[in-house]
Amino acid sequence: MRGIVKEFPGVRALDGVDLDVRAGEVHCLLGQNGAGKSTLIKVLAGAHQPDAGQISWDGAPVTLGDPQAAMSLGIATIYQELDLVAGLTVADNVFLGRERSRFGLSRPAHANRAAAELLARLGHPEIRPTAEVGQLSAASQQMVSMARALSQDARLIVMDEPSAVLDGEEVEHLFQVIRDLTAEGVAVVYISHRLEEIRSVGDRITVLKDGRTVATGLPARETGTREVITLMTGRTIEYVFPPRRPLADPGAAPLLEVADLSLAGRFAGVSFAVRPGEVLGLAGLVGSGRSEILETVFGARKATTGTVTVAGKRLRHGDVAAAVAAGVGLAPEERKSQGLLLGEPIYRNITVSSLARFARGGFLSAGAERQAAQEQADALDLRPVDVDREVRTLSGGNQQKVVLARWLLRDCQVLLLDEPTRGVDVGARSEIYALIRALADRGVAVVVVSSEIPEVLGLADHVLVVADGAVVASAGAGELDEHRVLDLVMQGAAPAAGQGDAA
Amino acid sequence: TSNSSDDDESSGGGGNNAVSANDDTGDTVTIGFSAPAADHGWMAGITEAARAEADKYEDVELRVAEGTNDVSTQISQVETFINDGVDAIVLLPFDGAALTPVALEAMEAGIPVINVDREFDSPFAARATVLGDNYGMGVSAGTYVCSQLGDKPDAVVAEIAGIDSLPLTQDRSQGFADALADCGLDVDNRVAAEFTVESGEEAASNLLQAAPQIDAIWNHDDDQGVGVLAAIENAGRDEFFMVGGAGSANAMRAIQAGDSVLKATVIYPSTQAADGVRLARLLAQDKSLSDLVEVEIPRQIVLNAPVVTEDNVDQYIDTAFES
Amino acid sequence: MAGPVGRNLGLVVALVLLCIAGVVTAGDRFADIDNVLTILRLASVIGVVSIGMTFVIIGGGIDLSVGALVALSSVWATTLATQQMAEDTHWIVMVFTALVVGSVAGLVNGVVIAYGKLVAFIATLAMLAAARGLAEIIANRRTQIVQDRDFVRFFSGDVLGIPTLVIVFALVSIAGWVLLNRTTFGRRTFAVGGNAEAARLAGIRVQRHTVLLYVLSGFTCGIAAVLLMARTTTGSSTHGTLYELDAIAAVVIGGTLLIGGRGTIVGTVLGVLIFTTLGNVFTLNDLSSSAQAVARGVIIVAAVLLQQRLVTGSATMRTPRSMSATSGGPAGATSGGSAVPGGPAGDGPGGDPTAP
Amino acid sequence: MAGPVGRNLGLVVALVLLCIAGVVTAGDRFADIDNVLTILRLASVIGVVSIGMTFVIIGGGIDLSVGALVALSSVWATTLATQQMAEDTHWIVMVFTALVVGSVAGLVNGVVIAYGKLVAFIATLAMLAAARGLAEIIANRRTQIVQDRDFVRFFSGDVLGIPTLVIVFALVSIAGWVLLNRTTFGRRTFAVGGNAEAARLAGIRVQRHTVLLYVLSGFTCGIAAVLLMARTTTGSSTHGTLYELDAIAAVVIGGTLLIGGRGTIVGTVLGVLIFTTLGNVFTLNDLSSSAQAVARGVIIVAAVLLQQRLVTGSATMRTPRSMSATSGGPAGATSGGSAVPGGPAGDGPGGDPTAP
Ligand SMILES: Nc1ncnc2c1ncn2[C@@H]1O[C@H](COP(=O)(O)OP(=O)(O)OP(=O)(O)O)[C@@H](O)[C@H]1O
Ligand SMILES: Nc1ncnc2c1ncn2[C@@H]1O[C@H](COP(=O)(O)OP(=O)(O)OP(=O)(O)O)[C@@H](O)[C@H]1O
Ligand SMILES: [Mg+2]
Ligand SMILES: [Mg+2]
C-alpha cells in the first residue's frame, strides 16, 4: 500500500500511509487511538474506498471496490467491531456471504461440521456451531470472527485488536494459531495496544501517527518499548502505574458494601467492601462473571439475594436510577451498546446522568451544560476537542473517556469500571490509570474489572479473584503476583466447569 | 358501455324538460364539488355522473376536490371553494353534521350550497338538498322481503350491511328492521362489510357459515354484492333469495338474467350529485325548475328508493351505474 | 432452539383457546369442516401477502404498498385487453400478468429504497398512493369482472376437498419456509436485516438483496391478486384495502422483529390464522362490529402477552444476555416500536438489538 | 450542527417549490391570504397529532392509535352527559374531558408497552381497534353535535386575523420544540430512543419515560379532538380516520428516524405543511383524485430525494459516517424500514444503526 489517503468529513483519517506486508510474516500495526489503524485495514479490506493511493497485490496494482474483491484476492479481515449477525448461528456467521449450497438449498449439516472443525482448530471446541451468536460472550464471538477468517483460506489475514476481549490464556492460544498460519506462508497484519503481545508474536512493526506512517518495517523483537511509545505518541511515557498512597483514613467506614450478593445461575455469595479512596480489582478469566457482579451491584441486573449498601444506605435491587442517585456510576463493558448514545454529540453523552444539575424546573441551560462538558473533556484531554461532534466518530479510547467523563461530572462516590482500558492506547491508558488513582485520592471508591492481570495488580489496592461465579481469593495487591492469580483462576475454574461461556 | 353514454340517455329521458330555456347557455358558472373518497363503485359513480353532467353544459366549470373520508380535509376543500368565490357548491359530505359549519359559512358568504345524500343538521346550511332515502331504502328492502316471506313467520333473514360506522348504514338497517317488524320478521344474522367486493366476499363467507339455513338476505350495496354473490356461489348455497342495494348495472343484469339468488335490488340513485350539479347551475343562473310552477328551486328533493325486480328491471337498467 | 412449535407456543395456545371459544360459543357451526375451510380460504389471500411481508421485515424493511399492489395486479390482470388475450390463448396469461405487475412494482420499490436510499416506509407509502391511483385510472374505478370461467373454476375448485386457494397458500408457505430457512437467500435475508454492515463486509451485495426482497413481496402480491380474483371473480382498485396493516400485524404477532434480523414463517402463518379465526368466531356469534373491534384489541394484547409469558417462562435458561429483560427490560420496552421486548420469537428476548 | 433551516433545507425547498407550483397553476387563488389560512387550519389538527407522534418516534416507539384516540376523545367530550355538565358550568369541561380521555388512553398504551413489554406496533394497533370500537359504542354510531355555541365560537374564531386553530397549532409546536430541545424530558427522549440500554445504565428511568411519551401523544390527540370538534361542531367515531399514517408520514418525511433517537419538531411541521399544501394545490387545479394519488406518490419520493441530495450535498463536511452512503449505503438502504439512509435529518446519514 502506497500513499493511502482517506478523508472523512472533517477528518483526514489517513494521510499518505505506506505499508508492505510479506508472505509468512506477522506485521504489527501500532498507533494511538484514532491514528487510523482501523481505517487503513478497512481500505485494505475493500470496505472503504481510498481517496488517493495505490494498493498492490503480488506486485500488481489492484482496486478493491468492495469487500468481495478483497476476499477473492485472499484477504480476510477480522474487524475491530465484531461484525457478526447476532441472530444467526455460529456456522451461518462463519460462512456468511460464502454459503455452500446444493441445488440452491443450503447444507446446514455440512456447514456445522466445517465450522466445528475450525473452532476446534482455534482451541474452542465448546462453541457449538448451532448456537446463536448473539448469545455468546464477546470472547466467543471473537473466536467466531477468527473462524470466519480462517475459513476463507486467505493468504493475508488482518486482525484488528483481536486480543482486546480475550484473557491471557486465550491470547496465548491465538498466538499459536497465528504461528501455525505464518508457518504455512500466510501473512498476518496484527493490531493491538498491548505492546508485550507485539513483542511475542510480531515480526515487523509499522507505526501510525495522525494518519501518517512514522516508521515502517522495524523489527518487532529488537525495537524497545520506549522507542515504540515515543514513535506513537511523540513523547516519552512511562508505562507504569501511578503510586498508591496510603489511605487517608484506614479506619473509615466502607463506602460500598456488598454482602452475600447472588444472581441465580450466574454467581453466588459475593461479598466485599470498598472504603473511600480504595481501588478494588476483580481479576478472573473471561466469562467468570465479573461483569455481572458489577452490573448487579449497579442494579442493572436484579440480584436474587444479598444486599448492596452505599454510604450506609441500602440500594433497591434492580433499580439503576436509585443507584445513580446514590452516587454510583458504571462504565460498562460494551461501551458502544451499553454506554454511549452514539448518534448524540459528545457533550450530551457526558451530561446525560447529571441533567438535573443544569435544569431549572426541567428547563436546561444549554450553555452551562456545554461548558461543564467541555471542562471535563479538556481535563481528560479528549480528542477531538469539539464537544459537538457525534460520539460515533470518536476512536475507541476517546469513547471510553467520554463514559468516564460522564461519571466524573456526576461526582460519583462509587465508580464501577468494567474493562476501562479495553481498546485504549498506551498514552491514554496511562492517563486513565492516573485518573483512576486521582479519583481514589479524592475519596471515591473504585471497583475495576480487567482481563489483564498486571493491570489489576498494578492498579488495585485490594484484589478479588473470581472464578466461575464465586470469589476464590481476596488479598491485598501486594500479596499477589501474576502467577499466583493465574493459579487461583485455574483452580477455581476446573471443578465447576459447564457453566462457563460455553453457551 | 361507458357510464357517460348511459347518462346521456338518462339525461335524454330527464331532458324532456330541457327543451325549456333552462338548457340555454347562460353566464358561465363555477361549481365546486366535493365528495368522500371514491373508494367504492357507487361513490365513484357519483363523482363521475357529476362530471359528466357538468361536461354537458358549456357554461359550467366544475371544480372537483379530491375525495376524502377525513372531515377536516373536506372542510378545507369547501373553504378553498369559498376563498375561490365559486358560484355554487355541490357537497356530498362524509358526515353531514360535521360539514354543517363550513356549509353555513359558504351560505353566509353568499354561495348557494346544494347538499347531496347526507343531510346537514341545520336547515340554513344548504339552499337545496337532494337526498337519497336511506331509511326508505331499508323499508323498501324490508317490505319486499316481507312480501316474499310474509307467510313464514320463522323465516331466517340475514343482513349484510355496509360500513357500519356510517350513520347512513344505521338508517338503512333501521328501516329494514322496522319494515320486517311489520310482518313479524326480524334480522337473525347481521354482518357488516365495507362497500368493497372483497369485504363483501369475506363477510358473506363468514355469514354463510354462521347461518346454515337462510331464507332471505339483504345486502346494502351492490358493489360489495359482487363479492357476496361470489361467496354464495363458492359455498354452493341457493336456498334463499337476495335483495341488493344501490342498483348497479351488474346487479340489474343479474336480476334480468334471473340465474342467481339475486332477485331484486333497491335503488339508491347514483345520479344525486348530477342532479345537484344541475340545481347548482340553475341556482347560480337564477333559473327555476321548469317542470314546476314554482319560480324558486325547491329546498329539498328526496329521491325515491324503488325496488327493482325482474319485472321492472328494463325500466331502470339504463340509468344504473357501472360499478 | 426449540422447534417451531416450542418457539411459537404462545401463538399455538392462543389459537387453540380461540378455537375452544369458537366451539363453546358456536358449537358445531364452528367445528364444521366447511367453516374451517372458510377460515382457511379467507386466510389464504392475506396469508400469501404476509409471507412476502415476512421476508421484507426480516430483511430490515417494510412494505406498506402490498394492498395497493394487490389492487393494481388484479386490475391489470382483468383489463379487457388482458382478458381478451387470455381468451385467445389460456387463462394462465392473466395469472402471469398479475405476477409480473406485482413483481415489477416491487422492483420499483426495491430500486428506490436500495439505490435511491429512500426510507422504506416513505417509499412504499408513496407506492401505495401511486399504485392505487394507477389502478383506479386503469379500471376507471369500475369493478372488472373475470370472464374466463375456467380460471375461476380452477382456482375456486378444490382438490380432494381442499380448496385450491388453501393449497396455494400452503404451497407458498412451504416455499417461503424453505427459502427462508434452507437457502442462501434466506440466510442472507437474516444477515441483511440483522446487521447490514456486517453483511456488506461479508461480501453480500446488500442493495441487490434488498431489491430482491421487495420483488419477492410484489410477487406474493401478484399471487394474492390471482387468489382474490378467483374468490371474488373480479379485479378492482378497492381490492386489498388495509392489507398493509393486516399483514404487518400478522407478521409482528408471529414474532418477527420490526427492526429485522429475526422472524419465522410459522409464526406468520399462525398470526394470520389467529386474526382470521377471530373474525370468524365473532361473526358466528353475531357480534356488532364495534364490540368486535374492542374485543379484537383486547385479544391481540392478551395473545401477545401470553406468547411472551409462555416463551420467556420456559426459556429463561436459554436466554443469556437477559439483563434488560429480567431487570425490567427497558431496551425492548421502548424500542418497542421496533424490537419485540421479551421476544415473542422466543430467542434472546431483550437481547439488545444493537449489540453485535 | 446547522440551524433548523439548514438541516431541513430540502424540506423548505420542497415546500417553496410546491408554493411556486401553486402560484403558477392557480395564481392569486393560491397566494390569497384566505387560502393560506385554509391550508394552515387544515394543517392544525393533523399537525398537533404529529407533534405528539414526533416525541413517541424519537423515543423509539410508534403510536398507531392516534386517529382512534382523536375519535374517542371527541366522542367522549360530546356525550350528552358531558355536554350537560358543560352547559351547567363552562365549556372548558369539554376541553378538559377530551384531554383527559386522550391522556388516559395514552397512559394505557404506555403502561402496556413499557411494563407489559408489548411491541408498540401491536399494542397501539390493538388500541386503535379498541378505541374506535368504544367510540362507536359510546356514540351509538351517530354523529354527536356540539351544542355549546361559546365553545365553537371560541375555537373557530380568530385573533388579529389568525384563526384560533392555527394559534393552538403554533403554540403546541413551540411547546413541543421547547420540550424537545430545552428540557431534560426532551434530552431523555433522545437518549431513550437512541439507545435504551445505555439510557438505563445512565440512570434514566426508561420505562417511566416511555409511559410519559405515550401519555403525551394521547394528550395531543385530545387537543386535536378539541380542534376537530370546533371545526366540525361534532364528535364522531369516524373522526381522525387514517391519521396514524398521515402523522407518521409527516414525521418521517420531516427527517425523524423511525428507529428513534433522532428527529426535529421543525421537520415535522414542515412535513405536515408539505402534505397539506399538496392537497390544496391539487384541489385548486381540479385534478382527478386518481391522478392526485399518483402525483402524490411521485412527489413524496421526489421531495425526500431532494432533501437527501441537498442536505448530504451541502453537508458532506458535517456528515461523518458517510461510509455506507458513499459505498452503496446498505445499512441504511435496508434498515430503511427504520433508518433514514442518506439521513434527511442531515446528520449522520447511513450511520449504521445496528453496528455497536
Ligand atoms: N466513519 C467515520 N467518519 C468520520 N470519522 C471517522 C470515521 N471512521 C473513523 N473516523 C476518524 O478517523 C480517525 C481514525 O480512526 P480509526 O478508527 O482508524 O483509528 P484507530 O487507529 O483504529 O483507533 P483505535 O485504536 O481507537 O481503534 C479518527 O479520528 C476517527 O474519529
Ligand atoms: N443473561 C445471561 N444469560 C446467560 N448467560 C449469560 C448472561 N450474561 C452473561 N452470561 C454468561 O455468563 C458468563 C459470565 O459473563 P460476564 O460477562 O459476567 O463475565 P466476565 O468475567 O465479565 O467476562 P468478560 O470479560 O467476557 O466480560 C459468560 O459466559 C456469559 O456468556
Ligand atoms: Mg481501531
Ligand atoms: Mg466482563
Side-chain angles (χ1 to χ4, degrees):
Chain A
M1 300 176 88
R2 286 277 163 269
I4 303 293
V5 175
K6 174 72 191 174
E7 269 193 60
F8 291 115
V11 194
R12 204 173 173 95
L14 297 178
D15 191 8
V17 173
D18 301 333
L19 175 73
D20 66 287
V21 183
R22 302 177 192 146
E25 77 163 345
V26 178
H27 196 116
C28 296
L29 206 50
L30 291 176
Q32 278 184 284
N33 291 132
K37 305 179 295 294
S38 298
T39 308
L40 180 68
I41 63 116
K42 280 189 181 164
V43 169
L44 183 57
H48 281 329
Q49 299 311 307
D51 298 320
Q54 175 65 55
I55 302 173
S56 308
W57 181 257
D58 278 342
V62 289
T63 338
L64 303 173
D66 55 28
Q68 216 158 30
M71 278 192 262
S72 61
L73 284 183
I75 302 175
T77 310
I78 299 169
Y79 296 92
Q80 183 173 11
E81 272 107 50
L82 305 164
D83 270 311
L84 299 174
V85 182
L88 290 180
T89 66
V90 169
D92 285 337
N93 267 288
V94 168
F95 296 107
L96 188 64
R98 293 165 295 113
E99 303 87 349
R100 276 163 235 172
S101 61
R102 199 189 308 170
F103 314 123
L105 295 184
S106 54
R107 307 169 63 191
H110 187 85
N112 286 342
R113 220 176 311 119
E117 274 165 27
L118 287 164
L119 287 165
R121 193 170 144 202
L122 286 167
H124 281 271
E126 83 283 0
I127 302 177
R128 280 182 299 118
T130 51
E132 218 179 81
V133 158
Q135 318 273 326
L136 299 180
S137 68
S140 304
Q141 293 188 6
Q142 186 70 58
M143 287 304 144
V144 176
S145 294
M146 283 289 301
R148 218 186 120 63
L150 285 187
S151 75
Q152 294 177 33
D153 291 325
R155 291 175 53 207
L156 170 63
I157 300 185
V158 184
M159 305 182 185
D160 196 352
E161 304 196 25
S163 58
V165 295
L166 305 181
D167 59 32
E169 202 200 356
E170 286 169 320
V171 171
E172 239 348 283
H173 204 103
L174 172 67
F175 288 172
Q176 193 50 50
V177 173
I178 291 178
R179 288 186 195 110
D180 290 349
L181 284 170
T182 47
E184 292 165 20
V186 176
V188 172
V189 172
Y190 187 88
I191 301 178
S192 174
H193 287 296
R194 302 182 187 167
L195 299 182
E196 63 282 1
E197 289 179 0
I198 307 298
R199 195 168 317 278
S200 76
V201 75
D203 293 317
R204 294 193 304 153
I205 300 178
T206 292
V207 181
L208 294 187
K209 182 172 185 311
D210 298 336
R212 287 202 193 86
T213 313
V214 291
T216 186
L218 303 179
R221 267 165 275 272
E222 283 86 73
T223 315
T225 304
R226 187 161 305 206
E227 187 186 339
V228 173
I229 294 179
T230 314
L231 282 171
M232 281 166 60
T233 61
R235 59 203 156 111
T236 42
I237 290 178
E238 288 302 319
Y239 184 41
V240 290
F241 296 98
R244 300 188 184 87
R245 270 187 239 154
L247 286 186
D249 176 9
L255 203 46
L256 169 70
E257 241 185 314
V258 173
D260 199 27
L261 197 67
S262 313
L263 182 65
R266 303 283 183 270
F267 64 83
V270 172
S271 304
F272 58 83
V274 195
R275 282 169 294 176
E278 194 179 16
V279 179
L280 177 76
L282 294 188
L285 291 182
V286 164
S288 55
R290 297 158 302 163
S291 300
E292 287 170 311
I293 294 174
L294 283 198
E295 285 164 358
T296 311
V297 169
F298 191 53
R301 295 171 188 258
K302 195 165 183 176
T304 335
T305 62
T307 60
V308 177
T309 316
V310 174
K313 241 187 83 200
R314 248 185 89 168
L315 291 187
R316 225 168 67 111
H317 285 325
D319 187 346
V320 173
V324 171
V328 185
L330 168 75
E333 178 173 27
E334 312 253 343
R335 264 197 300 273
K336 292 195 172 180
S337 64
Q338 300 182 309
L340 294 167
L341 308 166
L342 288 173
E344 304 250 332
I346 295 171
Y347 81 92
R348 293 191 177 189
N349 272 280
I350 294 179
T351 58
V352 65
S353 296
S354 325
L355 284 178
R357 181 189 302 188
F358 309 103
R360 198 174 302 144
F363 290 91
L364 286 169
S365 153
E369 185 190 354
R370 195 174 308 227
Q371 196 190 337
Q374 187 74 60
E375 279 166 17
Q376 292 298 336
D378 293 345
L380 294 181
D381 191 22
L382 194 72
R383 260 167 282 197
V385 197
D386 177 11
V387 290
D388 279 322
R389 281 277 294 271
E390 264 182 64
V391 163
R392 77 166 77 241
T393 64
L394 301 194
S395 71
N398 283 307
Q399 291 184 344
Q400 184 68 43
K401 288 185 185 172
V402 171
V403 177
L404 288 177
R406 174 187 303 165
W407 298 118
L408 293 182
L409 179 65
R410 172 128 199 132
D411 281 333
C412 279
Q413 299 181 63
V414 177
L415 209 47
L416 312 171
L417 306 175
D418 200 350
E419 310 277 6
T421 59
R422 173 181 294 177
V424 172
D425 69 49
V426 277
R429 205 175 265 244
S430 305
E431 287 169 28
I432 288 175
Y433 293 153
L435 195 71
I436 292 174
R437 187 40 71 184
L439 283 169
D441 292 344
R442 262 163 44 191
V444 175
V446 183
V447 181
V448 178
V449 165
S450 171
S451 296
E452 291 175 59
I453 295 172
E455 187 170 292
V456 179
L457 293 179
L459 202 54
D461 301 305
H462 197 90
V463 177
L464 298 185
V465 182
V466 183
D468 261 328
V471 177
V472 295
S474 165
E479 303 158 32
L480 294 167
D481 63 23
E482 200 169 342
H483 287 288
R484 177 84 188 102
V485 174
L486 269 177
D487 275 352
L488 285 167
V489 157
M490 305 318 272
Q491 280 164 15
Q499 217 200 43
D501 61 351
Chain B
T1 48
S2 91
N3 205 28
S4 56
S5 69
D6 285 350
D7 274 315
D8 282 342
E9 284 172 47
S10 72
S11 75
N16 294 339
N17 56 14
V19 181
S20 76
N22 270 353
D23 272 3
D24 294 349
T25 303
D27 300 337
T28 297
V29 292
T30 308
I31 300 174
F33 177 79
S34 171
D39 48 16
H40 61 287
W42 184 85
M43 196 59 85
I46 278 277
T47 309
E48 219 160 298
R51 272 187 191 277
E53 196 63 27
D55 283 348
K56 276 189 264 167
Y57 295 99
E58 278 169 28
D59 53 358
V60 170
E61 188 199 323
L62 191 71
R63 206 165 282 160
V64 182
E66 180 183 18
T68 173
N69 290 345
D70 175 34
V71 285
S72 190
T73 304
Q74 201 175 15
I75 288 172
S76 84
Q77 293 173 348
V78 178
E79 284 171 350
T80 306
F81 291 146
I82 299 172
N83 296 338
D84 262 13
V86 296
D87 299 301
I89 296 172
V90 177
L91 182 57
L92 199 173
F94 177 74
D95 178 340
L99 269 286
T100 304
V102 77
L104 276 169
E105 204 181 301
M107 291 289 284
E108 277 160 21
I111 302 171
V113 175
I114 290 84
N115 180 198
V116 176
D117 186 35
R118 303 174 188 179
E119 203 174 0
F120 296 141
D121 67 343
S122 160
F124 310 112
R127 168 62 187 82
T129 305
V130 182
L131 290 181
D133 187 0
N134 284 300
Y135 182 82
M137 211 179 146
V139 171
S140 294
T143 310
Y144 178 80
V145 169
C146 275
S147 73
Q148 304 294 308
L149 297 177
D151 49 346
K152 277 176 69 182
D154 51 356
V156 177
V157 180
E159 181 182 359
I160 303 177
I163 299 176
D164 225 0
S165 56
L166 295 180
L168 70 90
T169 299
Q170 303 303 307
D171 291 341
R172 290 178 186 183
S173 289
Q174 194 58 50
F176 189 56
D178 290 352
L180 286 184
D182 266 359
C183 63
L185 290 173
D186 61 356
V187 177
D188 297 272
N189 290 82
R190 183 179 185 280
V191 291
E194 268 133 41
F195 287 151
T196 63
V197 179
E198 188 203 337
S199 64
E201 201 269 351
E202 180 166 346
S205 295
N206 277 327
L207 172 73
L208 293 176
Q209 294 307 323
Q213 158 66 36
I214 303 176
D215 294 290
I217 296 180
W218 182 41
N219 164 48
H220 285 205
D221 180 78
D222 286 336
D223 257 311
Q224 64 190 31
V226 178
V228 172
L229 284 176
I232 291 171
E233 198 162 311
N234 267 331
R237 298 268 292 264
D238 60 359
E239 80 275 11
F240 50 79
F241 66 91
M242 179 165 115
V243 183
S248 76
N250 276 331
M252 294 202 192
R253 280 191 287 268
I255 292 169
Q256 209 166 26
D259 55 0
S260 72
V261 292
L262 187 63
K263 295 301 178 211
T265 187
V266 189
I267 288 190
Y268 192 76
S270 66
T271 48
Q272 302 179 37
D275 287 332
V277 169
R278 276 197 179 211
L279 290 182
R281 171 176 170 272
L282 295 180
L283 275 170
Q285 294 178 343
D286 276 332
K287 292 176 180 165
S288 62
L289 270 191
S290 42
D291 277 358
L292 295 186
V293 183
E294 176 61 44
V295 289
E296 289 278 326
I297 303 287
R299 293 201 58 88
Q300 193 169 54
I301 299 171
V302 179
L303 303 169
N304 193 14
V307 177
V308 178
T309 62
E310 197 170 2
D311 304 329
N312 61 1
V313 62
D314 299 338
Q315 209 180 319
Y316 294 97
I317 196 162
D318 291 335
T319 55
F321 66 97
E322 291 284 348
S323 67
Chain C
M1 14 173 157
V5 173
R7 194 156 40 188
N8 294 301
L9 188 59
L11 295 178
V12 173
V13 172
L15 190 56
V16 169
L17 286 181
L18 209 56
C19 290
I20 293 176
V23 172
V24 169
T25 57
D28 291 346
R29 287 183 299 142
F30 179 82
D32 186 55
I33 176 75
D34 275 345
N35 188 49
V36 173
L37 289 182
T38 299
I39 295 177
L40 291 176
R41 229 183 349 235
L42 290 182
S44 301
V45 181
I46 187 71
V48 168
V49 173
S50 301
I51 299 288
M53 184 71 89
T54 308
F55 277 86
V56 171
I57 294 183
I58 291 179
I62 197 147
D63 190 349
L64 296 181
S65 69
V66 287
L69 295 194
V70 169
L72 183 61
S73 304
S74 81
V75 164
W76 207 309
T78 53
T79 53
L80 276 186
T82 319
Q83 296 220 37
Q84 189 59 50
M85 214 174 359
E87 198 176 309
D88 295 346
T89 52
H90 189 264
W91 53 257
I92 203 79
V93 172
M94 287 164 63
V95 176
F96 189 73
T97 309
L99 297 183
V100 168
V101 170
S103 306
V104 169
L107 182 70
V108 173
N109 274 338
V111 168
V112 169
I113 292 165
Y115 295 96
K117 305 209 181 61
L118 230 65
V119 210
F121 189 93
I122 290 291
T124 55
L125 187 69
M127 177 57 91
L128 188 171
R132 219 172 261 291
L134 191 59
E136 284 175 12
I137 292 174
I138 293 175
N140 200 12
R141 297 228 189 77
R142 300 260 197 288
T143 305
Q144 299 177 155
I145 312 262
V146 176
Q147 307 297 350
D148 196 313
R149 289 286 102 193
D150 289 340
F151 170 87
V152 175
R153 212 169 297 128
F154 180 85
F155 281 102
S156 60
D158 51 53
V159 179
L160 302 175
I162 303 171
T164 316
L165 256 63
V166 178
I167 293 177
V168 172
F169 177 34
L171 289 179
V172 170
S173 302
I174 293 170
W177 188 88
V178 170
L179 188 61
L180 188 64
N181 297 299
R182 288 284 173 268
T183 69
T184 314
F185 182 86
R187 299 291 86 190
R188 294 185 173 185
T189 304
F190 281 108
V192 166
N195 187 344
E197 180 62 8
R200 187 179 76 95
L201 293 177
I204 294 175
R205 296 190 196 283
V206 174
Q207 290 172 299
R208 197 168 65 186
H209 195 87
T210 303
V211 172
L212 288 181
L213 288 175
Y214 287 92
V215 171
L216 180 66
S217 173
F219 184 76
T220 56
C221 291
I223 300 178
V226 172
L227 301 187
L228 206 49
M229 279 153 55
R231 230 178 76 185
T232 64
T233 68
T234 60
S236 160
S237 57
T238 64
H239 279 351
T241 312
L242 291 189
Y243 270 21
E244 52 279 5
L245 278 187
D246 292 348
I248 297 173
V251 171
V252 173
I253 221 177
T256 297
L257 293 194
L258 267 180
I259 43 159
R262 198 159 275 177
T264 64
I265 296 286
V266 178
T268 298
V269 171
L270 286 171
V272 170
L273 290 181
I274 287 178
F275 278 113
T276 322
T277 311
L278 203 57
N280 181 269
V281 173
F282 283 154
T283 306
L284 290 184
N285 285 298
D286 203 21
L287 229 63
S288 93
S289 60
S290 312
Q292 281 196 25
V294 176
R296 189 180 294 265
V298 175
I299 291 175
I300 292 175
V301 170
V304 179
L305 284 179
L306 184 73
Q307 161 79 351
Q308 275 172 217
R309 295 301 166 268
L310 277 182
V311 175
T312 50
S314 73
T316 27
M317 291 317 292
R318 271 185 282 113
T319 56
R321 299 252 152 203
S322 64
M323 186 164 98
S324 42
T326 51
S327 62
T334 44
S335 66
S338 27
V340 177
D347 19 29
D352 180 356
T354 58
Chain D
M1 16 180 146
V5 173
R7 193 156 43 188
N8 295 301
L9 188 60
L11 295 178
V12 174
V13 172
L15 190 56
V16 169
L17 286 181
L18 209 56
C19 290
I20 293 176
V23 171
V24 169
T25 56
D28 292 344
R29 290 185 297 138
F30 179 82
D32 187 54
I33 176 74
D34 278 341
N35 189 50
V36 173
L37 289 182
T38 295
I39 294 177
L40 290 178
R41 246 192 322 250
L42 176 59
S44 301
V45 182
I46 187 73
V48 168
V49 173
S50 303
I51 299 289
M53 184 71 88
T54 309
F55 277 86
V56 171
I57 293 183
I58 291 179
I62 197 148
D63 190 349
L64 295 182
S65 68
V66 286
L69 294 194
V70 170
L72 183 61
S73 303
S74 81
V75 164
W76 207 309
T78 54
T79 52
L80 276 187
T82 319
Q83 297 218 35
Q84 189 59 50
M85 215 175 356
E87 199 177 305
D88 295 345
T89 53
H90 189 264
W91 53 257
I92 204 79
V93 171
M94 287 164 64
V95 177
F96 190 72
T97 309
L99 298 183
V100 168
V101 170
S103 306
V104 169
L107 181 71
V108 174
N109 274 337
V111 168
V112 169
I113 292 166
Y115 295 97
K117 308 212 178 62
L118 230 66
V119 210
F121 189 93
I122 290 292
T124 57
L125 188 69
M127 178 57 90
L128 188 171
R132 221 174 259 292
L134 192 58
E136 285 175 15
I137 292 174
I138 294 177
N140 199 15
R141 300 219 188 79
R142 300 279 165 197
T143 305
Q144 299 177 158
I145 311 230
V146 177
Q147 306 297 350
D148 196 312
R149 289 288 103 194
D150 289 339
F151 169 87
V152 175
R153 213 169 298 129
F154 180 86
F155 281 104
S156 58
D158 51 54
V159 179
L160 303 175
I162 303 171
T164 317
L165 256 64
V166 178
I167 293 176
V168 171
F169 176 35
L171 289 180
V172 170
S173 302
I174 293 170
W177 187 89
V178 171
L179 188 62
L180 188 64
N181 297 298
R182 290 280 174 272
T183 69
T184 50
F185 181 86
R187 198 54 72 67
R188 296 197 173 119
T189 304
F190 281 111
V192 166
N195 186 343
E197 178 64 2
R200 188 174 76 98
L201 293 182
I204 296 174
R205 295 191 193 279
V206 174
Q207 288 171 298
R208 197 167 66 186
H209 194 86
T210 303
V211 173
L212 289 180
L213 288 174
Y214 288 92
V215 171
L216 180 66
S217 173
F219 184 76
T220 57
C221 292
I223 301 179
V226 172
L227 300 187
L228 207 50
M229 277 152 57
R231 212 164 135 72
T232 65
T233 68
T234 60
S236 160
S237 58
T238 61
H239 280 349
T241 312
L242 291 189
Y243 274 19
E244 52 279 4
L245 278 187
D246 292 348
I248 297 173
V251 171
V252 173
I253 222 177
T256 297
L257 294 194
L258 268 179
I259 44 158
R262 194 161 279 176
T264 64
I265 295 287
V266 178
T268 297
V269 172
L270 286 171
V272 171
L273 290 180
I274 287 177
F275 278 112
T276 323
T277 311
L278 199 60
N280 182 269
V281 173
F282 282 155
T283 303
L284 289 179
N285 284 298
D286 191 24
L287 230 63
S288 98
S289 60
S290 311
Q292 284 194 24
V294 176
R296 188 179 293 264
V298 175
I299 291 175
I300 292 175
V301 171
V304 179
L305 285 178
L306 183 74
Q307 161 79 351
Q308 277 172 216
R309 297 297 166 270
L310 276 182
V311 174
T312 49
S314 74
T316 28
M317 293 314 292
R318 272 182 283 115
T319 56
R321 291 244 156 199
S322 60
M323 180 170 99
S324 40
T326 53
S327 62
T334 44
S335 65
S338 29
V340 176
D347 20 27
D352 178 3
T354 57

